[in-house]
Amino acid sequence: MNKLILVSIGLIMSFSYGCRTAQRSSSAPESSDKNVTTGYSTNFMEQTTWLLGYFSRDRMAIPPHSEWYSKGYDSYQPDQAFITRLQNISRDEITIRIVLGTWCPDSRREVPRFMRIIDLWGFPAEKITFIGVDNEKIAPVGEYEKLNIMRVPTFIFYKNNVEAGRIIEVPLTSLEQDMVNILDKEANKN
């Protein structure tokens, strides 16, 4: 009985910490990925690996970030029905801001998947802004605090420079379906 209680507490604690707090140990196994080329593991909790502030998508395509980015991007197969629905939504007035922590396993899982959807949708790269945060969810970006970021990754959708909706940390259904739900809801307002 005591073992069951301890296991339950351990599971609850592991799920509750996610990428919300900076309390994760730097030796946490989920924070490192094995480099295929060198065979060494990259500890993404090490501050030297973090992408902070504004950065371009290209930064995720070079080591050490290409280790997780390419794998996540290539392996994700979104639901084509939702991709088709996205393709029927006008992209003209939409912009997207992605706030992520390269130290965060949720960011390393969801951002490559999101970018796969973006590419299949045909959304223009120049209309996406990436902001990297530290493990306190702080970024060296002017007026960053106005974004009110509590968890990462956070995908913020804007229509005519007004926030239309967010996907925070993990999607409610799937990334592509949540995107359609946010953008269809916004399209139905007009």
Side-chain angles (χ1 to χ4, degrees):
M1 182 72 168
N2 286 339
K3 283 186 179 182
L4 181 60
I5 292 171
L6 289 175
V7 169
S8 297
I9 291 171
L11 286 172
I12 291 168
M13 288 180 65
S14 69
F15 285 118
S16 67
Y17 282 113
C19 291
R20 298 177 217 171
T21 68
Q23 297 177 5
R24 198 174 250 140
S25 164
S26 63
S27 61
E30 64 189 353
S31 66
S32 62
D33 291 347
K34 192 164 189 168
N35 184 317
V36 177
T37 308
T38 65
Y40 295 106
S41 291
T42 301
N43 182 349
F44 288 102
M45 288 302 293
E46 290 290 327
Q47 293 179 6
T48 58
T49 67
W50 297 351
L51 297 177
L52 299 174
Y54 294 118
F55 66 91
S56 70
R57 177 183 181 175
D58 297 341
R59 295 281 305 273
M60 294 183 291
I62 57 175
H65 303 291
S66 59
E67 298 169 23
W68 54 267
Y69 183 80
S70 297
K71 180 180 174 186
Y73 182 95
D74 293 341
S75 66
Y76 189 60
Q77 298 299 318
D79 185 326
Q80 189 57 46
F82 290 105
I83 299 300
T84 301
R85 288 182 63 188
L86 281 170
Q87 290 169 338
N88 291 325
I89 295 172
S90 173
R91 303 170 199 95
D92 294 339
E93 303 302 325
I94 298 171
T95 56
I96 301 170
R97 190 170 287 166
I98 302 172
V99 182
L100 70 144
T102 54
W103 50 268
C104 169
D106 294 331
S107 291
R108 294 196 315 267
R109 181 188 61 246
E110 299 299 337
V111 171
R113 293 175 176 182
F114 186 88
M115 296 312 297
R116 171 85 171 191
I117 296 163
I118 288 294
D119 289 345
L120 292 171
W121 178 17
F123 192 83
E126 64 274 6
K127 296 177 79 173
I128 301 173
T129 302
F130 292 92
I131 301 174
V133 299
D134 65 16
N135 62 350
E136 301 278 333
K137 312 310 167 307
I138 305 296
V141 171
E143 299 189 12
Y144 169 77
E145 64 282 349
K146 291 181 180 180
L147 294 177
N148 195 28
I149 301 299
M150 303 300 242
R151 298 179 183 152
V152 290
T154 297
F155 304 93
I156 309 171
F157 298 84
Y158 297 90
K159 176 127 185 195
N160 295 318
N161 297 319
V162 175
E163 185 173 328
R166 294 179 179 213
I167 300 172
I168 301 171
E169 196 170 25
V170 294
L172 296 175
T173 55
S174 68
L175 284 169
E176 58 273 21
Q177 184 174 349
D178 285 6
M179 291 168 71
V180 167
N181 292 345
I182 289 168
L183 297 171
D184 266 355
K185 176 182 75 175
E186 186 60 27
N188 293 331
K189 283 183 178 180
N190 297 331

